[in-house]
Every structure is written in structure tokens, then in C-alpha cells.
Amino acid sequence: MVSTGKRFKTVPSLVELIDKDVSMAAIRDVSYLDLLGREEVKLDMNSIEELLGGKRVLITGAGGSIGSELVRQCLNFQPAEIICLDQSEEKIFNLEQQTEKIQSKTIIKVVLATINNPIELNKVFYENRPQIVFHAAAYKHVPMQEYFPWEAVKTNVFGTNNVSEISIKYDVEKFVLVSTDKAVKP
């Protein structure tokens, strides 16, 4: 339902109406699956539990919309620790405030740092020894990056390279690149 209180419905296509005997049951509420344009992905929760349960997980870009959702989702699988790394003081502070309200045995540690500084990043890995890395830190607003392409390259290319190389150096078990790159005018 939308703010008007009206429901959205889907009806059979013209071809379905002509070619088939269509009943009123074919008229139904619109589902998010109708908008997805593909089959829904079913997650293997046991595999995720095996991957994350009891592990130290580092999430870069943890203060952003994608990173903070990763933090919340990872908490469901009871890792030993989640290291939340972000360069934005405000975002990492807000994330810390939100996670303090969550009842969990998982240790949540916030780190104010940038992926663009390999020395700083190396220190984070040395001190925390993450086993799993979700790399979500990136500039994602294409029009802004078109104005400042050097910043996009510095963070999205060189920063990602820093995280991946240091992950290799510290024998991270799994490295997951959460790519959100978009083509505005492909």
C-alpha cells in the first residue's frame, strides 16, 4: 500500500487474456518478485552460518547503507567479532550507537580509518586478524564521481587493491567484494 491507502494490483497481459481462460484469481497484489525481473535467490543459511559463525569479520564501508546492512545481517550468524571500518566519523559513530542497542554476544568494534592508507589498513589487520572480509567501501554516486574521477579511482581502484593485498598478506579465509558500480549511460 502507498500513502493513499490504495493497493497496487497486477492483471494478466493482453496476450494472456486472449490466449487463456483467465479468472479473477489472476488479479492479485503486486509482489516485489514482479519487480525483480529474475528468480528470487534462496540463500543457503547453513553455509552462511558455517562461514561466519564464531569468526572475526571485517566490513569496510561499514557506516554506509550497504555496509551497515551487512553488519546487521552478519549479526544473525553470530560471528565472534565484527570490525566495522569506515572513514566517516559521523557514520561510524551512528553505527556504533545503533549496534549498542542490539542484544548480541558478538563483539562489535568500530574503526575510523580509510582504505586509501595502506599503513593504517595494515595496522587494522594486524590488530584484529580478520578471517572474513566484506569490502563494501567505495564511492557509489556516479554523477559525483564524474566530477571527481581521481577520487573514484583512488578509493574504488587503489583502495580496493589495498584491502585485497592486505587480506592476502594476513591469510584472510574469504574476501567478498561487494560491488555496487553502476553505469548511468552504458
Side-chain angles (χ1 to χ4, degrees):
M1 269 197 312
V2 292
S3 60
T4 63
K6 303 296 179 195
R7 300 171 76 120
F8 289 99
K9 299 280 188 181
T10 183
V11 296
S13 70
L14 190 56
V15 172
E16 289 174 302
L17 289 171
I18 293 170
D19 291 346
K20 298 178 183 168
D21 183 25
V22 179
S23 71
M24 286 301 289
I27 299 173
R28 59 180 172 71
D29 287 338
V30 173
S31 160
Y32 70 89
L33 294 173
D34 295 321
L35 306 173
L36 196 54
R38 61 168 169 79
E39 287 295 315
E40 180 181 16
V41 173
K42 300 286 186 197
L43 297 177
D44 181 350
M45 299 305 219
N46 291 331
S47 293
I48 298 171
E49 173 71 42
E50 258 180 53
L51 175 70
L52 299 178
K55 302 278 180 76
R56 290 179 309 279
V57 178
L58 171 70
I59 300 174
T60 69
S65 58
I66 295 166
S68 61
E69 185 60 28
L70 275 170
V71 171
R72 284 187 283 282
Q73 293 300 320
C74 284
L75 281 169
N76 294 324
F77 299 97
Q78 301 170 352
E81 185 174 9
I82 301 177
I83 303 103
C84 305
L85 185 144
D86 204 286
Q87 71 170 350
S88 169
E89 177 192 18
E90 181 181 6
K91 286 182 178 183
I92 205 73
F93 173 79
N94 290 338
L95 179 65
E96 183 178 45
Q97 297 298 303
Q98 292 166 11
T99 57
E100 282 179 357
K101 298 172 188 169
I102 298 171
Q103 298 293 324
S104 175
K105 292 180 181 178
T106 300
I107 296 166
I108 299 172
K109 183 176 189 180
V110 296
V111 178
L112 181 62
T114 175
I115 63 169
N116 293 330
N117 183 333
I119 295 169
E120 191 176 326
L121 198 55
N122 193 72
K123 183 176 185 255
V124 171
F125 274 73
Y126 178 77
E127 290 176 354
N128 295 283
R129 303 295 173 150
Q131 295 163 286
I132 311 294
V133 172
F134 288 98
H135 176 50
Y139 286 124
K140 298 169 178 77
H141 298 94
V142 175
M144 184 63 66
Q145 298 320 297
E146 288 175 341
Y147 288 124
F148 306 101
W150 53 91
E151 288 297 324
V153 170
K154 182 170 71 175
T155 298
N156 296 6
V157 176
F158 298 126
T160 296
N161 189 60
N162 291 339
V163 178
S164 64
E165 284 185 352
I166 294 170
S167 292
I168 291 167
K169 176 180 175 182
Y170 284 91
D171 294 320
V172 166
E173 294 172 22
K174 292 280 184 195
F175 177 92
V176 180
L177 173 62
V178 182
S179 175
T180 56
D181 293 342
K182 295 169 181 63
V184 174
K185 298 175 189 167

